[in-house]
Amino acid sequence: GERGEASFAIAGHLAAALDLAQDAARAAEVADLYLEASRSALAISAIHTAGDYVQKALEWSAAIPDGWNTEYPLMLEGHELAARTALYTGDYERLAQYSKTVFQKAQAPIDKAAVFKSCITAATFPGAYDTSCGWLPGGRAELGARLLRRLASG
C-alpha cells in the first residue's frame, strides 16, 4: 500500500531521529514500522535492506517489557522475518538463532511453521543441514515432520 511504499523513508527518518534509550515507551510502534519497512523491502527483493530493517525492529522490540507476552504477534513476526532474511542471505547461524528463539517462545505449534519452513529450505542446500536444522529434533517431532539427511552425491 501507500504506507508500505513510504515505509523506507519513514524508517530512515526514524533511525536518525529516535533514540531507543529515550523513546522506549514507543518501542512497539517503532518496531512495527521497521517490520513494515522490512516487508516492503522483501516485496521488491531488497533482501539486505529487509534484513537491516528487521534487525532494527528486533532492537526496538527487545525494549518492550515482557515483549513475548505483551506484544506476541510483533515479536513472532520479527523473528520470522529475521529467520527468513537470514535464509535468503545464506546466514544459517542467524537462521538457527532466530528459529530457536521462536521454537522456545511460540505459544502454539502452528506459530513455529514459518521458521520451520525456512529451516527445511536451508536443509536442502549442500552443507547447511547441521547449522540450519540439526538442532531441531524436538521441533521436528512436535510438528510430526521427518527430515532425512541428503545423501552425498559422489
Side-chain angles (χ1 to χ4, degrees):
E2 197 172 297
R3 180 176 162 176
E5 293 170 8
S7 63
F8 289 146
I10 294 168
H13 292 299
L14 277 176
L18 293 177
D19 176 9
L20 182 58
Q22 294 176 351
D23 297 299
R26 300 184 69 192
E29 180 182 356
V30 174
D32 188 51
L33 206 50
Y34 276 119
L35 285 179
E36 187 171 331
S38 182
R39 287 189 302 270
S40 295
L42 279 177
I44 62 169
S45 298
I47 306 304
H48 291 284
T49 301
D52 292 344
Y53 284 139
V54 79
Q55 288 305 312
K56 286 285 190 189
L58 292 178
E59 289 171 21
W60 281 87
S61 64
I64 302 169
D66 199 24
W68 277 97
N69 289 316
T70 61
E71 294 289 339
Y72 181 75
L74 178 79
M75 301 297 284
L76 181 63
E77 183 182 7
H79 284 77
E80 287 173 349
L81 279 172
R84 192 167 1 138
T85 59
L87 168 67
Y88 294 161
T89 59
D91 188 343
Y92 304 121
E93 295 295 330
R94 264 192 18 198
L95 169 60
Q97 172 192 345
Y98 296 124
S99 298
K100 189 173 185 176
T101 298
V102 170
F103 270 79
Q104 292 170 347
K105 303 284 187 174
Q107 295 175 358
I110 193 66
D111 294 344
K112 302 173 185 181
V115 294
F116 193 66
K117 180 180 176 185
S118 292
C119 289
I120 291 171
T121 301
T124 65
F125 302 144
Y129 183 92
D130 289 328
T131 55
S132 62
C133 275
W135 56 269
L136 292 173
R140 290 195 307 268
E142 184 175 340
L143 292 173
R146 286 187 50 197
L147 285 180
L148 301 176
R149 288 185 180 267
R150 288 179 59 140
L151 295 175
S153 55

